[in-house]
Amino acid sequence: MSEPTQETAYVTFAAAAWKRHHGLATLLTGDSHRGEELLQDCLVKLYVRWRRVADGDPDAYLKRMLVNGNVSWWRRRRRELLTEAPERLDARSSSPREPDDELRRALLALPRQQRAVVVLRHYADMTEAATADLLGCSVGTVKSQHSRAMKRLRSTLALPQTEEITR
């Protein structure tokens, strides 16, 4: 492709990708602003590599970049960040919350790896194998992390336990 055609293809892809991947980035990071930063950084890096990536699957490449970028950010920080002062959380607990807000808080309470597994499996609708490949771990790790995360979410959100279907 010629240079103007490459740029046009990238601009078209980036506009569509922003809509598709913004929610994923927000859920991975746990914060809307941090998710926007992560997605923007990844789209800039993708622009540099666009000639090599354009012929393959740029969506998959961008998802991988989002996960890797978020993991790199965790590793640089290595500490927990409080989102609100504890006394403000207690004062709010008596007021009704939106279900989305309650789910978001429950997801943020999960350990990073468990949150990433839940987000990729349920929000990004990825298979166990694809999630394991993206996170660089085994399928067994994805299964165990998912099981622990769902158990914790059920208890946090007071959801009923699902029974296994036996045949």
Side-chain angles (χ1 to χ4, degrees), residues 116-128:
V117 167
V118 170
V119 168
L120 292 172
R121 291 280 292 127
H122 295 281
Y123 184 77
D125 199 28
M126 295 176 70
T127 64
E128 290 170 340

Side-chain angles (χ1 to χ4, degrees), residues 17-28 63 66 103 107 115-126 131 146:
W18 186 271
K19 294 173 188 170
R20 282 192 305 265
H21 297 289
H22 180 258
L24 175 64
T26 299
L27 288 172
L28 282 172
K63 277 184 187 176
L66 288 169
L103 178 59
L107 282 170
R115 182 171 64 229
V117 167
V118 170
V119 168
L120 292 172
R121 291 280 292 127
H122 295 281
Y123 184 77
D125 199 28
M126 295 176 70
T131 302
H146 183 262

Side-chain angles (χ1 to χ4, degrees), residues 6-64:
Q6 286 270 345
E7 287 198 22
T8 305
Y10 175 78
V11 169
T12 304
F13 172 79
W18 186 271
K19 294 173 188 170
R20 282 192 305 265
H21 297 289
H22 180 258
L24 175 64
T26 299
L27 288 172
L28 282 172
T29 61
D31 177 61
S32 178
H33 299 293
R34 174 79 188 98
E36 286 180 8
E37 286 178 24
L38 176 64
L39 182 56
Q40 188 173 21
D41 289 345
C42 290
L43 284 172
V44 168
K45 291 175 184 174
L46 182 63
Y47 177 74
V48 174
R49 298 170 180 89
W50 184 249
R51 286 180 187 225
R52 288 181 284 156
V53 175
D55 294 333
D57 186 1
D59 275 315
Y61 195 84
L62 182 58
K63 277 184 187 176
R64 181 68 165 192

Side-chain angles (χ1 to χ4, degrees), residues 69-88:
N70 193 42
V71 169
S72 295
W73 186 80
W74 293 342
R75 288 179 178 156
R76 283 192 304 270
R77 298 301 180 275
R78 290 272 186 193
R79 339 176 241 174
E80 292 290 323
L81 299 174
L82 289 176
T83 56
E84 292 187 35
E87 55 275 359
R88 288 180 60 198

